[in-house]
Amino acid sequence: MPGRDWRVLLLGGASGTGKSRVAYPLARRYGVPIVEVDDLVLAVQRMTTPEQQPLLHHWDTHPDAGRLPVSRVVELQAAIAEALQPALEAVIGNHLETDTPVVIEGDYLLPALAAQDSFDGQAAEGRVRAVFLHEPDPAQLVANYLEREPHEGEQRSRAEASARYGDWLAARAVEQGIPVVPARPWATTLSRALLDLGLQRDPELRADAR
């Protein structure tokens, strides 16, 4: 499709930043499927035990995130993401080998993964692109969670941890030269993400992003 020079597009960012709000319209725009990293986590959890993959089962076996220091939650999120990388490398490599485009979105996508030169033996060669959404304000994340999960009430501890994990992801993305897009204003998030991916040729996107 004109304007798509990638095979795999990675959309990362912390929980509550609006990745799904961008990923699904993006996939519809290009007529490609979506892989949600949360589904991969569930699949790996179902096929393993906590003894085999303790990090990937951590939040189920330690449901006490609300009582942990924010810094520790961020450390655990990064460690869980690192443990998941072999599965993500295999998925990305498969899409490169079969030349089938896909959008992959999730909290556990790491900038270091997006910056790799090859995936499961398949050279990236510019076919893997990435962008990270960033929302640094915990109060906004509280509001986002409340809209999405009203039955959970105000999830302030979760929002604070997500904001700081998002800061960590954004800093790593900048180090790797990967675009970081502010989540707000939501009306232009998709257009701004596409522009940062290098689609300035599309005048419709330029107009939407203003």
Side-chain angles (χ1 to χ4, degrees):
M1 181 176 180
R4 179 179 62 77
D5 59 355
W6 46 268
R7 292 297 176 273
V8 178
L9 178 57
L10 305 176
L11 179 60
S15 170
T17 55
K19 294 183 299 298
S20 296
R21 191 188 293 262
V22 172
Y24 282 87
L26 180 62
R28 286 195 296 270
R29 184 182 190 92
Y30 290 104
V32 303
I34 285 181
V35 169
E36 295 192 18
V37 175
D38 284 349
D39 288 340
L40 294 181
V41 174
L42 288 173
V44 173
Q45 286 175 333
R46 184 60 62 90
M47 297 295 294
T48 62
T49 66
E51 292 73 28
Q52 292 169 325
Q53 291 287 348
L55 280 169
L56 296 181
H57 290 267
H58 181 85
W59 298 126
D60 288 335
T61 56
H62 299 78
D64 56 354
R67 295 192 294 272
L68 293 175
V70 167
S71 60
R72 179 55 179 157
V73 175
V74 172
E75 290 174 0
L76 284 166
Q77 286 289 92
I80 294 167
E82 185 65 32
L84 192 63
Q85 296 316 285
L88 287 166
E89 288 180 12
V91 171
I92 295 169
N94 178 63
H95 281 273
L96 294 178
E97 182 178 13
T98 58
D99 199 29
T100 52
V102 66
V103 173
I104 303 177
E105 69 97 352
D107 308 355
Y108 293 127
L109 291 173
L110 293 178
L113 173 75
Q116 289 183 193
D117 294 327
S118 65
F119 298 85
D120 221 33
Q122 298 296 313
E125 297 177 336
R127 295 181 295 164
V128 178
R129 307 288 292 279
V131 64
F132 281 75
L133 299 187
H134 186 214
E135 175 52 72
D137 184 1
Q140 182 61 54
L141 291 172
V142 168
N144 294 354
Y145 288 139
L146 195 59
E147 178 183 354
R148 189 176 75 185
E149 304 162 3
H151 58 285
E152 297 289 348
E154 292 190 343
Q155 302 180 67
R156 296 188 179 277
S157 296
R158 181 185 180 191
E160 179 65 34
S162 182
R164 301 293 74 83
Y165 178 57
D167 291 344
W168 183 86
L169 287 173
R172 304 290 84 73
V174 169
E175 291 173 357
Q176 298 287 351
I178 296 171
V180 177
V181 175
R184 292 177 289 157
W186 290 336
T188 61
T189 310
L190 174 60
S191 299
R192 288 183 287 110
L194 288 169
L195 284 169
D196 275 3
L197 284 165
L199 300 183
Q200 294 91 338
R201 293 167 295 175
D202 189 332
E204 178 185 343
L205 290 178
R206 289 199 298 272
D208 287 348
R210 286 196 288 267

